[in-house]
């Protein structure tokens, strides 16, 4: 399997088409490439079928003329949640103070329905990650990277349920959860998190 971004973009477009089969009002995905890469993580989650379905909720909301977010797109309201539930996404907790109902998860029925799509996209994402990591190892990234620093990257604000926050490089958070000492829950990156330059 080729691991070039255009191939991953094609897999994303196919997964989107699979969602459209069940939800014909969903508009076409204009630029699958925009979803590829850490910096494009609009919902504070790594690229996955679940995240693609989250984006589809926004697409259907736009097609219906429904305002599903506020606060510059950060707060996902109950109209977002209602459409999310139609697409097989659940939110079992109280809304987050800053992101609302953003953190939705696939329910069992949707997981069964989209199993082949999920497996195909996971294979493409894994291949893309391997190819990207190999390219990074061959590239010169400066002295900070050679000494194990995150210098040259970007940091975003990660929050926990009790409202505490930390600045973290997304790739560091992706390696393993960072747990809050106050509430014991993992920090997560909310949608629209402010990006700041990382200092070595």
């Amino acid at each position: 399997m080729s691991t070039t971004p255009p191939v991953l973009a094609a897999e994303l477009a196919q997964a989107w088409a699979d969602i459209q089969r069940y939800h014909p009002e969903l508009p076409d995905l204009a630029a699958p490439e925009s979803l590829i890469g850490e910096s494009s993580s609009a919902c504070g989650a790594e690229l996955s079928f679940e995240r693609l379905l989250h984006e589809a909720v926004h697409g259907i909301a736009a097609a219906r003329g429904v305002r599903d977010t506020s606060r510059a797109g950060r707060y996902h309201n109950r109209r977002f949640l209602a459409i999310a539930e139609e697409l097989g996404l659940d939110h079992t907790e109280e809304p987050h103070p800053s992101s609302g109902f953003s953190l939705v998860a696939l329910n069992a029925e949707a997981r069964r329905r989209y199993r082949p799509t999920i497996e195909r996209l996971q294979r493409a994402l894994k291949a893309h990650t391997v190819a990207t990591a190999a390219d990074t190892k061959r590239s010169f990234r400066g002295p900070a990277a050679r000494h194990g620093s995150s210098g040259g990257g970007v940091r975003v604000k990660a929050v926990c349920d009790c409202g505490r926050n930390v600045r973290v490089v997304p790739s560091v958070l992706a390696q393993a959860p960072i747990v809050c000492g106050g509430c014991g829950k993992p920090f997560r990156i909310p949608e629209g998190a402010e990006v700041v330059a990382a200092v070595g």
Side-chain angles (χ1 to χ4, degrees), residues 66-88:
V66 171
R67 188 172 177 196
D68 63 340
T69 62
S70 58
R71 302 179 197 166
R74 289 187 303 274
Y75 190 88
H76 292 59
N77 59 34
R78 290 190 184 277
R79 291 184 289 275
F80 170 86
L81 181 58
I83 299 171
E85 289 172 346
E86 289 179 38
L87 270 68

Side-chain angles (χ1 to χ4, degrees), residues 1 10 32 38 55 67 80 98-99 104 126 139 143 160 168 177 191:
M1 172 189 293
E38 176 178 274
E55 295 300 327
R67 188 172 177 196
F80 170 86
S98 63
S99 61
V104 286
K126 184 176 179 182
S139 303
C160 70
V168 63
E191 179 184 8

Side-chain angles (χ1 to χ4, degrees), residues 6 9 37 42 50 55 57 70-71 83 89 104 118 120 126 129 131 139 151 157 172 183 196:
E50 195 168 78
E55 295 300 327
V57 173
S70 58
R71 302 179 197 166
I83 299 171
L89 294 167
V104 286
I118 292 167
R120 192 178 65 240
K126 184 176 179 182
T129 300
S139 303
K157 182 169 73 171
V172 171
C183 68
V196 296

